[in-house]
Amino acid sequence: MTTLPETQSAAIKDLKSNDSSVSIAVQSIPLPALPPLPGQILVKINYSGLCGSDKSLLYDEWSAFGITMKDSTHGIAGHEGAGSVVALATDVEAAGSWKVGDRAGIKWVASVCGQCEMCLLGPTSALHCPSQKNSGFTVPGTFQQYVLTSASYATHLPDSVPDEIAGPLMCGGVTAYVGCKRSGVRPGQWLAILGAGGGLGHLAVQYARAMGMRIVAVDGGDEKGKLCKEMGAEEYVDFERERADVPGEVKRITGLGVHGVLVTAGSKGGYEMAPYLCRPGGTVVAVGLPGDKSVVAGAPPFVMALRRLSVVGSLTGSAGDVEEALGFAGRGLVKPILTKGTLEDVERFCGLMKEGKLPGRAVLKIGA
């Protein structure tokens, strides 16, 4: 086993603080208990993405749904980790699935039981395992230098994708990719992406382009429009200019409307608008997660029935989906725009996210 330090740095939320007085500080804490338990590996984190979900958990934005960081996290958020294995349990070593020095990715779903009804149905259904553990929500996350995680659920990172890019793809990338797949839009058909210039949206534009979809990007402002076009959008609709009739503009571009809509921004206006961008038989994919219970995905039953619309939800992806999402990046087809920082920048980056002013995806350099 590699010689390891006794302490590490971590960005820790005071779990006694509330959304109006959140306290997050970088502290020196002991490494996780060693040696790793059966089935575990210890990963030294080099980079971790800072996802919008991390912000929502750190600032209790989902408390209306009963979703808050558990005490078992010790206040450590983060679920987009990329680094290398520095220690492993004896059974993992004997199995040969991992060895010290292998590069590993840590995701939102840190582990599943592998035995329940949902797990036995397959890898996608396993995402709904009632006994799953979630990085930064029920177990300590990746805003620390060393993380113990499940060997069977960690992702082998390809040499073609560096850690600083792999990290944000562990959640943001796979969420965008699976959302595009869930839309059912085929190559050559139209996909509208709401919030297309944001941290999640700009990844969805790239994945959709790589999958052969024709993209109508919807966002606000000229800078977002320029970004969306650079990422591969065929058309851009500025809701600040077309506020009165975004659906009309989308139908002018596409004829009957789009075949699918991917809602990446958790805004009430976006969800209210989405069904009216669709052509008959279209699909709305709910991805953005607002904390407001009054926000609903869909339309009045009369509209849903008359136009034969579908509304589906999409949250992260299976281990196989993550490998596919990484494959696009490895071939140079997807590259996140990164705003780089360190553990000291967690609060600042969350503030920029709240204001809608964080360019691309935030990624933190964790390793020394």
Side-chain angles (χ1 to χ4, degrees):
M1 185 173 68
T2 305
T3 301
L4 299 172
E6 295 183 356
T7 61
Q8 62 166 331
S9 295
I12 300 177
K13 173 189 176 179
D14 178 359
L15 292 176
K16 296 179 181 179
S17 61
N18 56 44
D19 57 352
S20 61
S21 61
V22 170
S23 172
I24 304 168
V26 177
Q27 302 178 29
S28 179
I29 62 172
L31 262 65
L34 295 174
L37 296 174
Q40 289 185 331
I41 56 176
L42 180 68
V43 179
K44 180 181 180 182
I45 302 296
N46 293 322
Y47 283 90
S48 174
L50 196 167
C51 181
S53 298
D54 293 316
K55 172 183 68 70
S56 295
L57 287 168
L58 287 167
Y59 290 86
D60 299 325
E61 293 175 350
W62 295 336
S63 58
F65 298 93
I67 304 296
T68 58
M69 289 178 70
K70 306 305 179 186
D71 290 345
S72 50
T73 63
H74 306 303
I76 304 173
H79 58 273
E80 294 185 334
S84 57
V85 176
V86 293
L88 57 169
T90 54
D91 64 326
V92 176
E93 184 176 16
S97 55
W98 291 94
K99 63 181 184 298
V100 170
D102 285 349
R103 294 176 60 235
I106 296 176
K107 308 178 287 294
W108 166 248
V109 178
S111 67
V112 296
C113 75
Q115 299 175 343
C116 69
E117 179 181 354
M118 298 308 296
C119 285
L120 295 177
L121 285 173
T124 298
S125 295
L127 295 171
H128 304 284
C129 170
S131 300
Q132 68 180 266
K133 295 180 180 179
N134 303 102
S135 304
F137 171 45
T138 62
V139 296
T142 57
F143 293 172
Q144 58 180 330
Q145 291 178 305
Y146 294 88
V147 178
L148 272 176
T149 195
S150 166
S152 61
Y153 218 78
T155 294
H156 283 273
L157 299 179
D159 293 339
S160 56
V161 185
D163 287 343
E164 64 188 73
I165 291 178
L169 298 185
M170 291 295 99
C171 179
V174 70
T175 297
Y177 171 56
V178 173
C180 290
K181 291 206 293 185
R182 290 276 284 158
S183 74
V185 174
R186 298 193 298 271
Q189 294 183 336
W190 288 102
L191 177 70
I193 300 175
L194 305 189
L200 189 60
H202 89 284
L203 289 171
V205 171
Q206 294 179 71
Y207 279 109
R209 176 201 59 193
M211 296 163 74
M213 301 175 188
R214 303 180 70 183
I215 304 156
V216 179
V218 181
D219 214 312
D222 292 337
E223 288 188 12
K224 293 289 184 71
K226 181 181 178 182
L227 171 64
C228 290
K229 287 295 189 72
E230 290 174 350
M231 295 296 103
E234 186 171 336
E235 300 285 348
Y236 176 68
V237 176
D238 186 343
F239 69 77
E240 294 179 354
R241 294 181 180 176
E242 304 290 344
R243 188 178 300 275
D245 193 18
V246 172
E249 179 63 10
V250 169
K251 289 177 182 177
R252 183 193 68 78
I253 293 168
T254 62
L256 294 172
V258 294
H259 299 80
V261 181
L262 187 64
V263 187
T264 66
S267 69
K268 186 171 186 177
Y271 274 108
E272 289 176 344
M273 179 198 305
Y276 299 95
L277 305 183
C278 288
R279 64 180 56 204
T283 298
V284 174
V285 185
V287 175
L289 301 176
D292 182 353
K293 276 189 171 182
S294 70
V295 180
V296 176
F302 185 86
V303 176
M304 297 294 294
L306 196 68
R307 299 176 63 81
R308 293 194 308 110
L309 300 179
S310 299
V311 178
V312 300
S314 188
L315 178 68
T316 191
S318 68
D321 290 324
V322 173
E323 291 187 5
E324 292 175 10
L326 286 166
F328 282 89
R331 298 191 299 276
L333 299 172
V334 171
K335 185 175 182 180
I337 294 172
L338 301 176
T339 296
K340 298 180 182 181
T342 67
L343 289 173
E344 302 281 355
D345 294 305
V346 170
E347 279 192 288
R348 182 170 69 88
F349 283 174
C350 286
L352 290 172
M353 281 188 191
K354 288 182 178 182
E355 297 171 2
K357 295 180 179 178
L358 184 90
R361 300 288 295 187
V363 65
L364 310 174
K365 183 172 174 53
I366 308 292

